[in-house]
Amino acid sequence: MSSYSRAGAHKTSRTSGLAIAGLVCGIVGLFVLPIVLGPLAIIFGAVALRQTGSLMAKWDIGLGVLDIVLMIVMFAVAANNGGSFTWHVG
């Protein structure tokens, strides 16, 4: 009779909840409230990067920076248009 152990079959995940929260903040921040969600994505990503070093944490930081850059561009466009920003599709 042979016996086997499943101890080697269990693989631990290196993705933290902070990395997932940062990714959600970064993606949602592209569409809504980039002034708040961009810095939150950077903070969550930096903490997750320090804890796990995962690739998702690096994406969090990148998306947070992109949120802030897009916010600055939108403010610049609004300042040149007399304080308003309009978006016309079609």
Side-chain angles (χ1 to χ4, degrees):
M1 188 177 265
S2 65
S3 65
Y4 60 93
S5 172
R6 291 182 31 157
H10 182 66
K11 185 177 180 182
T12 60
S13 175
R14 294 191 54 167
T15 304
S16 70
L18 286 173
I20 295 171
L23 192 65
V24 169
C25 287
I27 292 171
V28 173
L30 291 173
F31 304 104
V32 181
L33 289 172
I35 195 166
V36 175
L37 296 177
L40 278 176
I42 293 172
I43 292 168
F44 289 155
V47 173
L49 186 63
R50 182 172 286 209
Q51 289 178 352
T52 64
S54 68
L55 181 65
M56 188 183 294
K58 294 176 185 175
W59 274 97
D60 298 344
I61 295 170
L63 281 171
V65 169
L66 182 65
D67 287 347
I68 293 171
V69 168
L70 287 177
M71 176 192 62
I72 291 170
V73 168
M74 287 186 345
F75 283 159
V77 169
N80 287 333
N81 288 333
S84 66
F85 182 78
T86 57
W87 189 273
H88 298 285
V89 177

